[in-house]
Amino acid sequence: MCLSFNLCALPEGCRAQYLRNPVSNHGYVRPGMEQFDTTKQELRHSYNITSLSAAAFPAQEDVPQFPQHAVPLAHDLTNLSRVLLQALAYAFGLPPATLLGCHAGMLRSEGGNASSMRLLYYPPVPPEDDARHEHHAAYTRCGAHADCCTFTLLAQDSEGGLEVKLHGSEKWQAVGHLPGAILVQTGELLASWTTNLLPALLHRVVVPSGAYARARARHCVAFFCHPDDNATLPKFPQLPILAPAPPPPVFTPHLTLHHRLLNAAHHLQKRFRETYA
Ligand SMILES: O=C(O)CCC(=O)C(=O)O
Ligand SMILES: [Fe+2]
C-alpha cells in the first residue's frame, strides 16, 4: 500500500521518468493529469500497472521492492476477478467459462487487454489551503464517476472518504472500512452487457471533514477488470428472477455511448481522452 507513497516521495524530476504512457496506460499519474471533477482540484497520485514485466517498474534504487510487492498482489486480484467472472456467468445461466474467455488477457504481457491495477495515494490536504477554502469546496480526492470496465475490485485503508450512489438514489453513502474486505464495483461495460440489470456504480472519494482526518493521507488499491480488446460481447439472458429491469439511470454521462459501442477498446480510449489532460 505504501508503494505509491514511496514513489510520490521522490523528487519531481525523478518521478517524471515514470509518467503514464498514454498508449499503454502504464505509469505514474500526478495530481491534475487525470480529472473526473473539473470544478475542483483532485488531490490524487496513482501508479497504473498494466504490465508485470520487470522493465515496467520503478528502479530498485528509487522505490525498493516495488515489483516484489506489486506483482503478487496483481496476480491475486487477477485470480479473484476470474472467480467473480465465473460466478457472474453462473448467475446469468451462461456456461461458466463464457466471461473468462472474454477476459483471457488480463495483465498478460502480450497486451490486447486493458485491465490494470492502480496504486492510489491521496496526500493530506495542505493546512494553509484548509484555512483559505471554507467548506472544503476547492479540493476533492476523486470526482464522481463510474468505472469504464467490467468491474473494479477495491481495497481501501481505514481513512474513509469513499462514497457510492446506489442506482435510483440521489444520496451519497459512505463506504465503511471492513478490515480485509474488497469492494466489488460494477462497471459500465457490465451495465451495458446486462442492459443495466447490473448498473454501473457511481462513486467518489471526498476529503473528510475535520482537521485531523484532512491532515492524513489515504491509500487504496484498485483492480480494473477489462475484457480483451477483440472480445465478442456475450449476450446476457434476461433472467426472470432479475426482472423487471430497472429504468435507465438518471445520472449516466457516459451511458449513451454503449448504444453505439463498437468494442470495449474503443469505449475505453474515449474515456481516457475525457479524463486525462
Ligand atoms: O480511491 C478510491 O477509493 C477510488 C478510486 C477510483 O475510483 C478510481 O481510481 O477509479
Ligand atoms: Fe473509480
Side-chain angles (χ1 to χ4, degrees):
M1 284 283 221
C2 286
L3 292 176
S4 46
F5 167 72
N6 292 346
L7 183 80
C8 298
L10 294 172
E12 173 78 34
C14 182
R15 264 182 284 155
Q17 67 185 301
Y18 300 121
L19 279 182
R20 172 184 179 267
N21 176 326
V23 176
S24 67
N25 189 34
H26 186 100
Y28 168 61
V29 180
R30 64 175 166 228
M33 266 176 82
E34 177 199 57
Q35 200 78 12
F36 293 110
D37 180 348
T38 47
T39 66
K40 290 183 183 160
Q41 202 178 326
E42 298 200 356
L43 296 175
R44 178 176 65 255
H45 299 256
S46 159
Y47 193 85
N48 295 354
I49 295 174
T50 60
S51 163
L52 299 182
S53 79
F57 292 103
Q60 169 75 10
E61 58 272 24
D62 289 338
V63 187
Q65 305 281 305
F66 197 118
Q68 286 84 344
H69 292 292
V71 171
L73 184 58
H75 282 310
D76 285 350
L77 293 172
T78 306
N79 286 334
L80 179 56
S81 299
R82 292 200 180 103
V83 172
L84 289 176
L85 287 166
Q86 289 175 88
L88 262 173
Y90 181 80
F92 276 90
L94 296 165
T98 312
L99 293 179
L100 268 187
C102 304
H103 296 74
M106 283 189 285
L107 293 189
R108 285 226 182 116
S109 51
E110 310 88 89
N113 181 297
S115 294
S116 62
M117 183 170 85
R118 254 158 99 76
L119 305 174
L120 292 142
Y121 170 69
Y122 299 89
V125 179
E128 65 273 21
D129 292 316
D130 229 5
R132 236 187 4 236
H133 299 291
E134 268 185 46
H135 310 306
H136 314 150
Y139 287 115
T140 190
R141 280 187 158 154
C142 186
H145 66 283
D147 294 334
C148 168
C149 56
T150 306
F151 55 74
T152 307
L153 305 178
L154 219 109
Q156 55 164 343
D157 66 12
S158 57
E159 293 301 324
L162 179 64
E163 296 184 342
V164 297
K165 199 187 260 188
L166 295 177
H167 186 69
S169 165
E170 280 308 300
K171 202 169 152 239
W172 285 104
Q173 289 176 287
V175 177
H177 176 249
L178 194 58
I182 292 178
L183 179 72
V184 182
Q185 300 186 150
T186 43
E188 291 180 336
L189 293 181
L190 192 57
S192 170
W193 292 348
T194 62
T195 51
N196 226 23
L197 277 171
L198 295 178
L201 184 68
L202 267 179
H203 55 283
R204 67 181 185 184
V205 184
V206 296
V207 176
S209 52
Y212 177 77
R214 285 164 65 78
R216 291 172 60 85
R218 175 177 184 270
H219 299 82
C220 179
V221 175
F223 182 87
F224 301 91
C225 171
H226 281 262
D228 300 336
D229 292 350
N230 59 4
T232 310
L233 310 185
K235 185 130 186 58
F236 278 76
Q238 300 276 329
L239 292 185
I241 50 158
L242 293 169
V250 182
F251 173 60
T252 50
H254 306 291
L255 199 80
T256 50
L257 285 174
H258 298 312
H259 302 307
R260 48 196 168 85
L261 191 67
L262 293 177
N263 65 31
H266 290 124
H267 182 51
L268 182 65
Q269 284 312 319
K270 188 161 194 338
R271 286 298 302 276
F272 281 160
R273 285 197 296 276
E274 288 163 357
T275 44
Y276 282 94

